[in-house]
Amino acid sequence: TVEGHDPLHKVTIIPRGRALGVTMFLPERDKYSQTRRELEALIASLFGGRVAEELIFGRESITTGASDDIRRATDLARRMVTEWGMSDALGPMVYGENEGEVFLGRSITTHKNVSEATMQKVDAEIRRIIDEQYAVSRKIIEDKRDRVERIAKTLLEWETLDAEQLKD
């Protein structure tokens, strides 16, 4: 587990929609906001599947399976930097403001209120957060690889495990 992240509720390898398997988290309580540490932990946990795939099968054999997790992690890192002021390098400021509605499939127009140099700093901060949390995820999986492999074998047998079974 990643410190600061809500406990697992269930893991399954049964396909759900376009996903080949799903990890579901159970919120500990109703929350209206999240701390920086909780968001970082969520980003690290989102990379767990991709990191495990890379470590076990090699970089040449990674698949598109983690695409939604990567999108969600990137979106969280971007929002941490551009909306929630959670970047030490850029401080508590909003970078870019959304205006207008989505119309006929077009995305929301972003009003550019920052320089190109600042946007490069924003991109660098997003990249830093992603890289740091990817490394956290990798270290956890490397350190607990025996557990990952035991869970994988058990999932192949049972297909779905709840929180208590995972703990066991």
PDB file of all heavy atoms in Angstrom, residues 36 40 80-82 85-93 95 117-129 132:
ATOM      1  N   ARG A  36      -2.000  17.077  -0.220  1.00  0.00           N
ATOM      2  CA  ARG A  36      -0.955  16.873  -1.230  1.00  0.00           C
ATOM      3  C   ARG A  36      -0.426  15.445  -1.149  1.00  0.00           C
ATOM      4  O   ARG A  36      -0.247  14.783  -2.166  1.00  0.00           O
ATOM      5  CB  ARG A  36       0.162  17.900  -0.983  1.00  0.00           C
ATOM      6  CG  ARG A  36       1.297  17.842  -1.947  1.00  0.00           C
ATOM      7  CD  ARG A  36       2.255  18.978  -1.609  1.00  0.00           C
ATOM      8  NE  ARG A  36       3.416  18.967  -2.451  1.00  0.00           N
ATOM      9  CZ  ARG A  36       4.279  19.951  -2.514  1.00  0.00           C
ATOM     10  NH1 ARG A  36       4.113  21.039  -1.797  1.00  0.00           N
ATOM     11  NH2 ARG A  36       5.322  19.880  -3.307  1.00  0.00           N
ATOM     12  N   GLU A  40      -0.448  12.582  -4.044  1.00  0.00           N
ATOM     13  CA  GLU A  40       0.787  11.928  -4.496  1.00  0.00           C
ATOM     14  C   GLU A  40       0.663  10.413  -4.363  1.00  0.00           C
ATOM     15  O   GLU A  40       1.082   9.665  -5.249  1.00  0.00           O
ATOM     16  CB  GLU A  40       1.983  12.449  -3.707  1.00  0.00           C
ATOM     17  CG  GLU A  40       2.350  13.873  -4.059  1.00  0.00           C
ATOM     18  CD  GLU A  40       3.379  14.481  -3.120  1.00  0.00           C
ATOM     19  OE1 GLU A  40       3.604  13.940  -2.013  1.00  0.00           O
ATOM     20  OE2 GLU A  40       3.968  15.520  -3.492  1.00  0.00           O
ATOM     21  N   MET A  80      -2.783  19.584  -9.535  1.00  0.00           N
ATOM     22  CA  MET A  80      -1.999  19.958  -8.352  1.00  0.00           C
ATOM     23  C   MET A  80      -1.195  21.223  -8.624  1.00  0.00           C
ATOM     24  O   MET A  80      -1.107  22.112  -7.777  1.00  0.00           O
ATOM     25  CB  MET A  80      -1.050  18.821  -7.959  1.00  0.00           C
ATOM     26  CG  MET A  80      -1.740  17.632  -7.322  1.00  0.00           C
ATOM     27  SD  MET A  80      -0.607  16.246  -7.062  1.00  0.00           S
ATOM     28  CE  MET A  80       0.404  16.921  -5.724  1.00  0.00           C
ATOM     29  N   VAL A  81      -0.618  21.306  -9.820  1.00  0.00           N
ATOM     30  CA  VAL A  81       0.251  22.426 -10.183  1.00  0.00           C
ATOM     31  C   VAL A  81      -0.553  23.644 -10.629  1.00  0.00           C
ATOM     32  O   VAL A  81      -0.283  24.765 -10.189  1.00  0.00           O
ATOM     33  CB  VAL A  81       1.233  22.002 -11.300  1.00  0.00           C
ATOM     34  CG1 VAL A  81       2.026  23.201 -11.828  1.00  0.00           C
ATOM     35  CG2 VAL A  81       2.174  20.909 -10.798  1.00  0.00           C
ATOM     36  N   THR A  82      -1.564  23.434 -11.487  1.00  0.00           N
ATOM     37  CA  THR A  82      -2.233  24.571 -12.130  1.00  0.00           C
ATOM     38  C   THR A  82      -3.474  25.088 -11.397  1.00  0.00           C
ATOM     39  O   THR A  82      -3.858  26.236 -11.601  1.00  0.00           O
ATOM     40  CB  THR A  82      -2.647  24.221 -13.575  1.00  0.00           C
ATOM     41  OG1 THR A  82      -3.602  23.153 -13.550  1.00  0.00           O
ATOM     42  CG2 THR A  82      -1.447  23.855 -14.413  1.00  0.00           C
ATOM     43  N   GLY A  85      -2.367  24.920  -6.349  1.00  0.00           N
ATOM     44  CA  GLY A  85      -1.205  25.563  -5.740  1.00  0.00           C
ATOM     45  C   GLY A  85      -0.320  24.622  -4.945  1.00  0.00           C
ATOM     46  O   GLY A  85       0.241  25.020  -3.924  1.00  0.00           O
ATOM     47  N   MET A  86      -0.158  23.386  -5.403  1.00  0.00           N
ATOM     48  CA  MET A  86       0.615  22.381  -4.665  1.00  0.00           C
ATOM     49  C   MET A  86       2.003  22.171  -5.247  1.00  0.00           C
ATOM     50  O   MET A  86       2.567  21.088  -5.159  1.00  0.00           O
ATOM     51  CB  MET A  86      -0.154  21.061  -4.622  1.00  0.00           C
ATOM     52  CG  MET A  86      -1.416  21.128  -3.815  1.00  0.00           C
ATOM     53  SD  MET A  86      -2.234  19.520  -3.786  1.00  0.00           S
ATOM     54  CE  MET A  86      -3.588  19.861  -2.671  1.00  0.00           C
ATOM     55  N   SER A  87       2.571  23.220  -5.823  1.00  0.00           N
ATOM     56  CA  SER A  87       3.917  23.153  -6.374  1.00  0.00           C
ATOM     57  C   SER A  87       4.796  24.150  -5.634  1.00  0.00           C
ATOM     58  O   SER A  87       4.504  25.346  -5.614  1.00  0.00           O
ATOM     59  CB  SER A  87       3.889  23.503  -7.869  1.00  0.00           C
ATOM     60  OG  SER A  87       5.182  23.830  -8.324  1.00  0.00           O
ATOM     61  N   ASP A  88       5.857  23.645  -5.022  1.00  0.00           N
ATOM     62  CA  ASP A  88       6.790  24.540  -4.333  1.00  0.00           C
ATOM     63  C   ASP A  88       7.446  25.502  -5.313  1.00  0.00           C
ATOM     64  O   ASP A  88       7.683  26.663  -4.988  1.00  0.00           O
ATOM     65  CB  ASP A  88       7.865  23.739  -3.592  1.00  0.00           C
ATOM     66  CG  ASP A  88       7.278  22.943  -2.434  1.00  0.00           C
ATOM     67  OD1 ASP A  88       6.193  23.315  -1.937  1.00  0.00           O
ATOM     68  OD2 ASP A  88       7.903  21.942  -2.035  1.00  0.00           O
ATOM     69  N   ALA A  89       7.729  25.031  -6.520  1.00  0.00           N
ATOM     70  CA  ALA A  89       8.420  25.859  -7.514  1.00  0.00           C
ATOM     71  C   ALA A  89       7.539  26.978  -8.055  1.00  0.00           C
ATOM     72  O   ALA A  89       8.032  28.064  -8.360  1.00  0.00           O
ATOM     73  CB  ALA A  89       8.924  24.988  -8.673  1.00  0.00           C
ATOM     74  N   LEU A  90       6.233  26.739  -8.163  1.00  0.00           N
ATOM     75  CA  LEU A  90       5.341  27.730  -8.775  1.00  0.00           C
ATOM     76  C   LEU A  90       4.408  28.411  -7.785  1.00  0.00           C
ATOM     77  O   LEU A  90       3.821  29.444  -8.090  1.00  0.00           O
ATOM     78  CB  LEU A  90       4.542  27.082  -9.897  1.00  0.00           C
ATOM     79  CG  LEU A  90       5.403  26.649 -11.084  1.00  0.00           C
ATOM     80  CD1 LEU A  90       4.657  25.690 -11.978  1.00  0.00           C
ATOM     81  CD2 LEU A  90       5.874  27.858 -11.864  1.00  0.00           C
ATOM     82  N   GLY A  91       4.235  27.817  -6.627  1.00  0.00           N
ATOM     83  CA  GLY A  91       3.453  28.463  -5.580  1.00  0.00           C
ATOM     84  C   GLY A  91       1.957  28.421  -5.787  1.00  0.00           C
ATOM     85  O   GLY A  91       1.450  27.849  -6.742  1.00  0.00           O
ATOM     86  N   PRO A  92       1.233  29.088  -4.866  1.00  0.00           N
ATOM     87  CA  PRO A  92      -0.225  29.064  -4.876  1.00  0.00           C
ATOM     88  C   PRO A  92      -0.820  30.064  -5.867  1.00  0.00           C
ATOM     89  O   PRO A  92      -1.183  31.179  -5.517  1.00  0.00           O
ATOM     90  CB  PRO A  92      -0.588  29.425  -3.428  1.00  0.00           C
ATOM     91  CG  PRO A  92       0.543  30.294  -2.986  1.00  0.00           C
ATOM     92  CD  PRO A  92       1.766  29.763  -3.681  1.00  0.00           C
ATOM     93  N   MET A  93      -0.867  29.633  -7.104  1.00  0.00           N
ATOM     94  CA  MET A  93      -1.432  30.483  -8.158  1.00  0.00           C
ATOM     95  C   MET A  93      -2.119  29.574  -9.165  1.00  0.00           C
ATOM     96  O   MET A  93      -1.701  28.439  -9.375  1.00  0.00           O
ATOM     97  CB  MET A  93      -0.319  31.272  -8.841  1.00  0.00           C
ATOM     98  CG  MET A  93      -0.803  32.256  -9.855  1.00  0.00           C
ATOM     99  SD  MET A  93       0.567  33.280 -10.412  1.00  0.00           S
ATOM    100  CE  MET A  93      -0.049  33.775 -11.996  1.00  0.00           C
ATOM    101  N   TYR A  95      -2.853  28.639 -12.900  1.00  0.00           N
ATOM    102  CA  TYR A  95      -2.205  28.821 -14.206  1.00  0.00           C
ATOM    103  C   TYR A  95      -3.147  28.356 -15.291  1.00  0.00           C
ATOM    104  O   TYR A  95      -3.350  27.170 -15.490  1.00  0.00           O
ATOM    105  CB  TYR A  95      -0.892  28.038 -14.269  1.00  0.00           C
ATOM    106  CG  TYR A  95       0.138  28.582 -13.316  1.00  0.00           C
ATOM    107  CD1 TYR A  95       0.279  28.053 -12.042  1.00  0.00           C
ATOM    108  CD2 TYR A  95       0.947  29.649 -13.684  1.00  0.00           C
ATOM    109  CE1 TYR A  95       1.211  28.563 -11.161  1.00  0.00           C
ATOM    110  CE2 TYR A  95       1.872  30.169 -12.807  1.00  0.00           C
ATOM    111  CZ  TYR A  95       1.997  29.621 -11.549  1.00  0.00           C
ATOM    112  OH  TYR A  95       2.916  30.131 -10.677  1.00  0.00           O
ATOM    113  N   ALA A 117       7.306  30.738 -21.056  1.00  0.00           N
ATOM    114  CA  ALA A 117       8.333  30.305 -20.098  1.00  0.00           C
ATOM    115  C   ALA A 117       7.676  29.720 -18.843  1.00  0.00           C
ATOM    116  O   ALA A 117       8.131  28.698 -18.313  1.00  0.00           O
ATOM    117  CB  ALA A 117       9.243  31.472 -19.728  1.00  0.00           C
ATOM    118  N   THR A 118       6.599  30.346 -18.380  1.00  0.00           N
ATOM    119  CA  THR A 118       5.897  29.831 -17.205  1.00  0.00           C
ATOM    120  C   THR A 118       5.245  28.495 -17.529  1.00  0.00           C
ATOM    121  O   THR A 118       5.284  27.565 -16.708  1.00  0.00           O
ATOM    122  CB  THR A 118       4.851  30.836 -16.699  1.00  0.00           C
ATOM    123  OG1 THR A 118       5.519  32.055 -16.347  1.00  0.00           O
ATOM    124  CG2 THR A 118       4.097  30.310 -15.496  1.00  0.00           C
ATOM    125  N   MET A 119       4.664  28.360 -18.703  1.00  0.00           N
ATOM    126  CA  MET A 119       4.047  27.088 -19.087  1.00  0.00           C
ATOM    127  C   MET A 119       5.093  25.976 -19.150  1.00  0.00           C
ATOM    128  O   MET A 119       4.800  24.829 -18.803  1.00  0.00           O
ATOM    129  CB  MET A 119       3.302  27.211 -20.413  1.00  0.00           C
ATOM    130  CG  MET A 119       1.986  27.971 -20.304  1.00  0.00           C
ATOM    131  SD  MET A 119       0.918  27.493 -18.907  1.00  0.00           S
ATOM    132  CE  MET A 119       0.523  25.817 -19.298  1.00  0.00           C
ATOM    133  N   GLN A 120       6.320  26.309 -19.548  1.00  0.00           N
ATOM    134  CA  GLN A 120       7.393  25.310 -19.543  1.00  0.00           C
ATOM    135  C   GLN A 120       7.717  24.882 -18.106  1.00  0.00           C
ATOM    136  O   GLN A 120       7.971  23.703 -17.846  1.00  0.00           O
ATOM    137  CB  GLN A 120       8.632  25.847 -20.249  1.00  0.00           C
ATOM    138  CG  GLN A 120       8.456  25.927 -21.752  1.00  0.00           C
ATOM    139  CD  GLN A 120       9.657  26.536 -22.468  1.00  0.00           C
ATOM    140  OE1 GLN A 120      10.626  26.944 -21.839  1.00  0.00           O
ATOM    141  NE2 GLN A 120       9.571  26.583 -23.783  1.00  0.00           N
ATOM    142  N   LYS A 121       7.666  25.838 -17.174  1.00  0.00           N
ATOM    143  CA  LYS A 121       7.875  25.503 -15.761  1.00  0.00           C
ATOM    144  C   LYS A 121       6.738  24.615 -15.244  1.00  0.00           C
ATOM    145  O   LYS A 121       6.976  23.687 -14.478  1.00  0.00           O
ATOM    146  CB  LYS A 121       7.981  26.768 -14.913  1.00  0.00           C
ATOM    147  CG  LYS A 121       9.258  27.550 -15.130  1.00  0.00           C
ATOM    148  CD  LYS A 121       9.263  28.798 -14.271  1.00  0.00           C
ATOM    149  CE  LYS A 121      10.477  29.655 -14.575  1.00  0.00           C
ATOM    150  NZ  LYS A 121      10.431  30.934 -13.850  1.00  0.00           N
ATOM    151  N   VAL A 122       5.505  24.923 -15.660  1.00  0.00           N
ATOM    152  CA  VAL A 122       4.353  24.107 -15.278  1.00  0.00           C
ATOM    153  C   VAL A 122       4.548  22.686 -15.778  1.00  0.00           C
ATOM    154  O   VAL A 122       4.390  21.712 -15.030  1.00  0.00           O
ATOM    155  CB  VAL A 122       3.034  24.717 -15.825  1.00  0.00           C
ATOM    156  CG1 VAL A 122       1.878  23.726 -15.724  1.00  0.00           C
ATOM    157  CG2 VAL A 122       2.692  26.010 -15.100  1.00  0.00           C
ATOM    158  N   ASP A 123       4.921  22.547 -17.055  1.00  0.00           N
ATOM    159  CA  ASP A 123       5.151  21.219 -17.626  1.00  0.00           C
ATOM    160  C   ASP A 123       6.257  20.481 -16.879  1.00  0.00           C
ATOM    161  O   ASP A 123       6.146  19.281 -16.621  1.00  0.00           O
ATOM    162  CB  ASP A 123       5.517  21.319 -19.110  1.00  0.00           C
ATOM    163  CG  ASP A 123       4.335  21.709 -19.992  1.00  0.00           C
ATOM    164  OD1 ASP A 123       3.178  21.614 -19.532  1.00  0.00           O
ATOM    165  OD2 ASP A 123       4.572  22.108 -21.147  1.00  0.00           O
ATOM    166  N   ALA A 124       7.314  21.183 -16.515  1.00  0.00           N
ATOM    167  CA  ALA A 124       8.426  20.562 -15.787  1.00  0.00           C
ATOM    168  C   ALA A 124       7.974  20.083 -14.404  1.00  0.00           C
ATOM    169  O   ALA A 124       8.392  19.019 -13.939  1.00  0.00           O
ATOM    170  CB  ALA A 124       9.591  21.542 -15.666  1.00  0.00           C
ATOM    171  N   GLU A 125       7.117  20.851 -13.741  1.00  0.00           N
ATOM    172  CA  GLU A 125       6.608  20.450 -12.426  1.00  0.00           C
ATOM    173  C   GLU A 125       5.697  19.232 -12.528  1.00  0.00           C
ATOM    174  O   GLU A 125       5.756  18.323 -11.692  1.00  0.00           O
ATOM    175  CB  GLU A 125       5.829  21.603 -11.768  1.00  0.00           C
ATOM    176  CG  GLU A 125       6.682  22.533 -10.960  1.00  0.00           C
ATOM    177  CD  GLU A 125       7.313  21.823  -9.773  1.00  0.00           C
ATOM    178  OE1 GLU A 125       6.635  21.582  -8.761  1.00  0.00           O
ATOM    179  OE2 GLU A 125       8.507  21.502  -9.865  1.00  0.00           O
ATOM    180  N   ILE A 126       4.857  19.209 -13.540  1.00  0.00           N
ATOM    181  CA  ILE A 126       3.992  18.051 -13.762  1.00  0.00           C
ATOM    182  C   ILE A 126       4.864  16.817 -13.998  1.00  0.00           C
ATOM    183  O   ILE A 126       4.644  15.763 -13.394  1.00  0.00           O
ATOM    184  CB  ILE A 126       3.028  18.291 -14.946  1.00  0.00           C
ATOM    185  CG1 ILE A 126       2.042  19.412 -14.597  1.00  0.00           C
ATOM    186  CG2 ILE A 126       2.296  17.004 -15.338  1.00  0.00           C
ATOM    187  CD1 ILE A 126       1.257  19.950 -15.773  1.00  0.00           C
ATOM    188  N   ARG A 127       5.872  16.959 -14.834  1.00  0.00           N
ATOM    189  CA  ARG A 127       6.790  15.860 -15.132  1.00  0.00           C
ATOM    190  C   ARG A 127       7.503  15.393 -13.854  1.00  0.00           C
ATOM    191  O   ARG A 127       7.660  14.197 -13.620  1.00  0.00           O
ATOM    192  CB  ARG A 127       7.813  16.336 -16.172  1.00  0.00           C
ATOM    193  CG  ARG A 127       8.918  15.369 -16.468  1.00  0.00           C
ATOM    194  CD  ARG A 127       8.559  14.447 -17.595  1.00  0.00           C
ATOM    195  NE  ARG A 127       8.081  13.182 -17.058  1.00  0.00           N
ATOM    196  CZ  ARG A 127       7.392  12.282 -17.741  1.00  0.00           C
ATOM    197  NH1 ARG A 127       7.083  12.516 -18.988  1.00  0.00           N
ATOM    198  NH2 ARG A 127       7.002  11.165 -17.209  1.00  0.00           N
ATOM    199  N   ARG A 128       7.913  16.340 -13.003  1.00  0.00           N
ATOM    200  CA  ARG A 128       8.611  16.003 -11.760  1.00  0.00           C
ATOM    201  C   ARG A 128       7.711  15.172 -10.854  1.00  0.00           C
ATOM    202  O   ARG A 128       8.125  14.134 -10.315  1.00  0.00           O
ATOM    203  CB  ARG A 128       9.058  17.277 -11.032  1.00  0.00           C
ATOM    204  CG  ARG A 128       9.833  16.996  -9.725  1.00  0.00           C
ATOM    205  CD  ARG A 128      10.011  18.256  -8.885  1.00  0.00           C
ATOM    206  NE  ARG A 128       8.762  18.864  -8.463  1.00  0.00           N
ATOM    207  CZ  ARG A 128       7.948  18.378  -7.504  1.00  0.00           C
ATOM    208  NH1 ARG A 128       8.254  17.277  -6.864  1.00  0.00           N
ATOM    209  NH2 ARG A 128       6.836  19.007  -7.193  1.00  0.00           N
ATOM    210  N   ILE A 129       6.460  15.607 -10.693  1.00  0.00           N
ATOM    211  CA  ILE A 129       5.517  14.878  -9.841  1.00  0.00           C
ATOM    212  C   ILE A 129       5.303  13.466 -10.387  1.00  0.00           C
ATOM    213  O   ILE A 129       5.354  12.477  -9.641  1.00  0.00           O
ATOM    214  CB  ILE A 129       4.174  15.632  -9.720  1.00  0.00           C
ATOM    215  CG1 ILE A 129       4.364  16.929  -8.923  1.00  0.00           C
ATOM    216  CG2 ILE A 129       3.095  14.750  -9.083  1.00  0.00           C
ATOM    217  CD1 ILE A 129       3.178  17.877  -8.987  1.00  0.00           C
ATOM    218  N   GLU A 132       8.507  11.340  -9.868  1.00  0.00           N
ATOM    219  CA  GLU A 132       8.709  10.992  -8.459  1.00  0.00           C
ATOM    220  C   GLU A 132       7.741   9.897  -8.015  1.00  0.00           C
ATOM    221  O   GLU A 132       8.141   8.943  -7.340  1.00  0.00           O
ATOM    222  CB  GLU A 132       8.534  12.225  -7.560  1.00  0.00           C
ATOM    223  CG  GLU A 132       9.716  13.149  -7.554  1.00  0.00           C
ATOM    224  CD  GLU A 132       9.529  14.355  -6.642  1.00  0.00           C
ATOM    225  OE1 GLU A 132       8.492  14.443  -5.936  1.00  0.00           O
ATOM    226  OE2 GLU A 132      10.425  15.217  -6.635  1.00  0.00           O
TER     227      GLU A 132
END
